[in-house]
Amino acid sequence: TVNNLVHTRLVPQNSPPIDSIADTGCTKHAFGDNDDIPSEKPILPTRVRMPNNSTMIFNKITHLNLPLSKKATETNLYPAINHNLLSVPQFCDEDCTAVFTKNTVKIYTKGAVTIIPNEQPIIMGARDHH
């Protein structure tokens, strides 16, 4: 897993950034279940196995406030998670483009990089080299 600190810019509203980690090994967005992110609906508790073989349970989902499909923005809410994880593959599966440089990571909407070279990313952040 590549951990890159990312501040999500929620577009189009001028919402405050949410501290997150862009995770290339995470299959689904995973956020802590707190007051900053309202849940949309409770679901049956679901157990997920972590890379260290431990398990975590989530029982709520929400959608990130981004100009993308529901599938691209669906986020599991975990009561016990310490850091919000943004799934880079989940964005790319919905035709977004992820660009990693030495110091930044940017996520663009479908076609933005090839069609509109000066397009602003929907998510941008500085990479943490720790």
Side-chain angles (χ1 to χ4, degrees), residues 84-96:
N84 297 326
L85 301 176
L86 286 172
S87 170
V88 174
Q90 186 174 345
F91 287 127
C92 292
D93 286 348
E94 293 299 306
D95 292 327
C96 291

Side-chain angles (χ1 to χ4, degrees), residues 50-106:
M50 299 293 120
N52 67 359
N53 227 17
S54 67
T55 59
M56 289 178 59
I57 295 174
F58 71 93
N59 62 355
K60 295 179 192 171
I61 64 168
T62 193
H63 287 84
L64 299 175
N65 186 15
L66 295 169
L68 301 170
S69 70
K70 289 245 184 215
K71 190 173 180 182
T73 61
E74 186 172 286
T75 304
N76 298 336
L77 298 177
Y78 294 84
I81 200 167
N82 293 325
H83 301 285
N84 297 326
L85 301 176
L86 286 172
S87 170
V88 174
Q90 186 174 345
F91 287 127
C92 292
D93 286 348
E94 293 299 306
D95 292 327
C96 291
T97 301
V99 177
F100 287 83
T101 67
K102 180 179 179 181
N103 297 311
T104 64
V105 58
K106 297 176 182 178

Side-chain angles (χ1 to χ4, degrees), residues 95-97 99 107-122:
D95 292 327
C96 291
T97 301
V99 177
I107 308 288
Y108 294 90
T109 58
K110 180 179 179 179
V113 174
T114 55
I115 297 171
I116 311 168
N118 296 324
E119 180 75 13
Q120 292 296 311
I122 57 170

